[in-house]
Amino acid sequence: TPPLKIAVAGAVHAELGERSLSADLETRIENSLIQINARYAPQSRGEALALALKIDQIDSTRLGAALAALSSTPASATQPAPTAAREPDPDAALKALTRLADADWKASLEVGRLRLGGLHAAGLSARLRAHDGLLRMSTMEASISEGQVRAEGELMPASGSFSLNVDAQRIDLASLLAQVPGVDWLEGRAEVRGDFRGRVGSGSDAIRSLKGQIRAQVTDGRINGIDMLQTVRARAARPPPRDRGLSSAIVKGLTEFSQMSAQIDLSDGKAGSRNLLVETALLRITGRASLDLIDDHIDSSLRISPRVNTVDRGLAALGRVGLPLQLSGSVRSPSWSIDLPGLINAPQSP
């Protein structure tokens, strides 16, 4: 890790009025240029302190480590200072936020570029309000993965509980998932609306606290790793019991789809959907899916059927039975398989 640059420099301009104080500060911490406009008016009910912050760029990990180093006890000669950047401490952050929430202030925030872990955002703007121990984000907008995200939420730092509403439009999944090593099997343009609640923390406890619902739709996309159309045609050409070995074969490739939609429920560290729908030019795929957010394990059962009134004889041979598929394993490298028990035991179409 490169050495941290913790030097803070800048300029301050202040004006003291009869009942107010205004100040402008420009400073730089690490590689972040920060401009702050502050107005303090004790007589103004509900907004004694008003802040406007503009930051050209933020790398949250390095900036958090720099701020933590500023507030830590200097290392002694027998205890050298650590050289690696430290991860933010959720408990310490909540204690600091609790003190902020007990004050009475409002703030506007603008960030040119933000790096939050593996997430990159641009043009972020937000409005914040603190009152009676509650931090409220009335609006937040940012550009992420070629799309636009809007959100609002509340945080009660004393208990760590939070709620968040998110509306994301035209997100490029390939660009977003490229920031997660190994997850490259789904592409398309996503629209997501979600309502969440949970508790701030670290590790599996924070993940298990998440509850809520997500409504997602992906258009003009593709699933990498399986050619569903050719897999279905291979199955239709040799129905069981004529050749069960052929029925278990998956034709590798990709599946382009016009639409994928699902309603996803979050609870106990899992995200699950029972109404997954994928539509291609010739196929209709329905089923359920479950993702373990702690173990990063996916388990999905699907059934592929021909679109209504298909003129493709090979697909029409499937009738109403369809082809049962399973997707399971690590979310980074899941594997496809044909559900042979479901295939063999299913009633055959006349």
Side-chain angles (χ1 to χ4, degrees):
T1 302
L4 290 171
K5 300 177 183 177
I6 309 177
V8 179
V12 178
H13 171 75
E15 293 183 4
L16 180 63
E18 183 178 354
R19 295 185 177 181
S20 65
L21 171 65
S22 297
D24 294 301
L25 168 67
E26 182 174 300
T27 187
R28 186 178 292 275
I29 300 178
E30 272 283 285
N31 60 347
S32 300
L33 176 63
I34 303 173
Q35 297 172 306
I36 304 174
N37 172 264
R39 182 178 62 83
Y40 181 61
Q43 305 302 320
S44 299
R45 295 186 58 186
E47 49 185 61
L49 177 63
L51 299 171
L53 291 83
K54 290 185 178 181
I55 307 174
D56 63 341
Q57 57 183 332
I58 297 179
D59 183 329
S60 63
T61 301
R62 290 185 60 79
L63 182 59
L67 294 176
L70 286 174
S71 60
S72 63
T73 304
S76 64
T78 59
Q79 184 180 6
T83 58
R86 293 181 293 176
E87 291 296 324
D89 181 356
D91 292 334
L94 284 176
K95 290 179 181 178
L97 289 174
T98 298
R99 291 192 290 269
L100 287 174
D102 287 336
D104 186 9
W105 55 270
K106 68 176 183 179
S108 63
L109 172 66
E110 295 181 13
V111 180
R113 298 190 305 276
L114 170 65
R115 181 178 178 183
L116 185 61
L119 181 66
H120 296 257
L124 183 147
S125 63
R127 293 186 180 277
L128 309 172
R129 177 83 166 83
H131 187 65
D132 292 337
L134 179 69
L135 287 175
R136 185 169 190 274
M137 181 176 66
S138 60
T139 179
M140 187 281 289
E141 296 184 1
S143 297
I144 297 175
S145 297
E146 302 181 19
Q148 194 71 19
V149 176
R150 296 178 177 84
E152 60 181 23
E154 293 182 347
L155 170 65
M156 187 73 72
S159 63
S161 61
F162 71 89
S163 63
L164 183 65
N165 301 324
V166 178
D167 183 357
Q169 302 289 326
R170 301 294 296 168
I171 301 297
D172 179 27
L173 282 180
S175 173
L176 181 65
L177 296 179
Q179 301 171 43
V180 183
V183 182
D184 57 0
W185 51 272
L186 181 62
E187 301 179 26
R189 289 284 180 176
E191 296 185 4
V192 180
R193 291 179 175 85
D195 301 311
F196 314 94
R197 63 186 184 279
R199 296 178 63 87
V200 176
S202 59
S204 59
D205 288 341
I207 296 175
R208 288 193 180 95
S209 75
L210 283 175
K211 298 186 183 301
Q213 192 173 85
I214 301 171
R215 296 167 296 283
Q217 178 173 295
V218 183
T219 56
D220 301 327
R222 70 183 192 180
I223 301 170
N224 298 315
I226 181 174
D227 186 330
M228 291 188 180
L229 180 59
Q230 296 306 320
T231 297
V232 166
R233 282 179 170 157
R235 147 72 178 96
R238 302 291 295 274
R242 287 176 58 194
D243 193 335
R244 294 183 182 181
L246 180 61
S247 300
S248 64
I250 294 293
V251 179
K252 296 187 179 298
L254 61 89
T255 300
E256 294 183 337
F257 60 85
S258 57
Q259 176 178 298
M260 173 188 290
S261 62
Q263 180 173 298
I264 303 167
D265 295 314
L266 294 176
S267 181
D268 299 323
K270 293 181 172 61
S273 174
R274 294 185 177 274
N275 61 352
L276 179 64
L277 172 64
V278 182
E279 292 185 331
T280 76
L282 297 174
L283 301 174
R284 187 173 189 269
I285 302 101
T286 59
R288 64 165 185 83
S290 177
L291 172 62
D292 191 314
L293 300 174
I294 298 174
D295 297 333
D296 287 337
H297 186 277
I298 190 170
D299 181 21
S300 180
S301 295
L302 307 174
R303 186 169 292 274
I304 307 177
S305 304
R307 295 286 293 267
V308 177
N309 300 325
T310 181
V311 296
D312 189 304
R313 292 183 178 181
L315 299 181
L318 287 176
R320 295 183 301 274
V321 177
L323 179 67
L325 280 183
Q326 288 192 335
L327 175 67
S328 61
S330 167
V331 71
R332 288 175 170 79
S333 56
S335 59
W336 291 94
S337 63
I338 294 179
D339 181 8
L340 284 179
L343 175 64
I344 295 170
N345 296 329
Q348 297 300 306
S349 298

